Amino acid sequence: MTNKEQSIDQTASDSKGRGRSMAGFPYVDLDLGVETAKYVFEMGGNCTFEQLSEKSGQALDSNALRIRINTTWRQYGLITVNGDRISLSDLGKAVLQPATERQARVESFLRVPIYKDIFSKYRDESLPASKVLEQVMEDMGVAPKQSARARQILMRSAKQAGLFEDSDFSLAIPRGVKIIEDRVSEPQSESVNVPTEMTTHGKREPIFEALWGMVPPSGAEWTIEARAKWLNMLSNALDMSLTAPDNTIEVCVSVVKKVR
């Protein structure tokens, strides 16, 4: 495991108990999103969750893999998820081509709503001091206990997108790159049929759609170990998507052999 992946594992494990942000922000930087798209490309542009787990070296039921997929899909827009299949999006294909990589990296960065807002606020101007920028992010909905991490990932991703190409202190579109507004809107996921119980106020949550798509059809064989992994992934998704009145309790599903 690389140092970057170890950092993601630590970020995932530390996220509980830090306070919940009202504004979504990536838990991994743009380079890791591009790396994820590259993994999918190397597997023919289409793969399963299990295959990406093996390719990335991250356990199928780990927070690290879930955050990797969720951020690359819902924030950076480089992949799409349909059921248990992961595919490259058009933007994901573009970011892996030398001729279109610079443009695609900028578009991917600006697809993140809070990044787009900060870019619009400080475009071609000097960024404020770290603590001030963190306060700005808090005002945009980032939880105070997460704002330092959010700022660090923002700064790394901005550099990886080429926005510090002309200056280390201000955000600017790289030379030769043109922003196309309708291509930097928040990515939309493909929908799949899910039961009413898997919706939030009538709106389907993509992460739950993806999880439901992993459930085998009625009558199929599904091992106890696989069921436990799926239930743990569901529990992790609920932690990321919903709030609970008591955050001192964690749900853990494990396999225990019956005593006869």
Side-chain angles (χ1 to χ4, degrees):
M1 182 180 290
T2 65
N3 290 336
K4 182 184 292 184
E5 289 168 334
Q6 288 172 342
S7 174
I8 295 165
D9 277 319
Q10 186 63 42
T11 300
S13 63
D14 284 350
S15 63
K16 294 180 180 179
R18 287 186 170 187
R20 189 172 301 277
S21 293
M22 299 302 293
F25 68 89
Y27 278 80
V28 298
D29 61 32
L30 180 58
D31 270 0
L32 195 129
V34 173
E35 178 185 80
T36 304
K38 183 179 179 182
Y39 286 161
V40 176
F41 173 78
E42 290 173 349
M43 291 183 284
N46 189 289
C47 67
T48 64
F49 282 65
E50 289 84 355
Q51 289 170 328
L52 183 58
S53 169
E54 293 177 5
K55 187 77 171 177
S56 66
Q58 294 170 327
L60 182 62
D61 59 349
S62 67
N63 279 349
L65 182 67
R66 174 176 53 79
I67 291 172
R68 174 191 284 269
I69 294 172
N70 207 32
T71 304
T72 307
W73 169 31
R74 299 183 68 182
Q75 300 274 7
Y76 295 131
L78 299 176
I79 59 175
T80 61
V81 177
N82 190 354
D84 67 343
R85 305 296 303 186
I86 301 170
S87 304
L88 278 179
S89 66
D90 290 341
L91 188 58
K93 295 173 184 176
V95 84
L96 299 176
Q97 298 296 323
T100 52
E101 180 183 4
R102 279 163 55 85
Q103 176 82 30
R105 279 181 174 266
V106 173
E107 290 183 11
S108 183
F109 177 90
L110 293 176
R111 285 175 81 95
V112 182
I114 193 170
Y115 287 2
K116 186 177 181 181
D117 289 345
I118 289 173
F119 175 79
S120 298
K121 184 178 180 68
Y122 294 109
R123 182 175 183 176
D124 298 322
E125 296 181 7
S126 295
L127 286 171
S130 296
K131 290 298 181 182
V132 176
L133 184 55
E134 288 169 17
Q135 182 60 57
V136 169
M137 299 185 81
E138 290 175 23
D139 293 342
M140 291 180 175
V142 175
K145 292 183 179 180
Q146 295 178 324
S147 60
R149 169 69 65 177
R151 176 189 58 78
Q152 292 165 3
I153 297 173
L154 161 72
M155 297 297 284
R156 289 203 306 270
S157 296
K159 184 174 183 179
Q160 293 158 5
L163 301 184
F164 287 128
E165 189 173 81
D166 294 327
S167 169
D168 291 333
F169 308 104
S170 62
L171 299 172
I173 297 297
R175 293 181 296 277
V177 173
K178 181 179 180 181
I179 296 179
I180 302 174
E181 191 62 31
D182 62 356
R183 284 165 56 177
V184 296
S185 58
E186 187 175 359
Q188 300 295 316
S189 61
E190 298 180 21
S191 63
V192 294
N193 293 326
V194 296
T196 304
E197 293 81 2
M198 299 289 278
T199 65
T200 303
H201 300 294
K203 181 181 179 181
R204 294 171 177 171
E205 287 288 342
I207 187 64
F208 298 130
E209 293 178 3
L211 284 168
W212 189 254
M214 297 171 66
V215 177
S218 179
E221 181 178 322
W222 204 20
T223 66
I224 297 297
E225 290 81 1
R227 296 181 200 184
K229 286 183 178 181
W230 186 88
L231 288 169
N232 275 312
M233 291 172 68
L234 175 61
S235 177
N236 289 333
L238 290 170
D239 284 344
M240 290 293 293
S241 301
L242 304 172
T243 59
D246 187 350
N247 63 6
T248 64
I249 300 174
E250 292 186 8
V251 176
C252 181
V253 179
S254 59
V255 177
V256 180
K257 289 189 177 294
K258 292 181 178 180
V259 179
R260 299 184 182 278

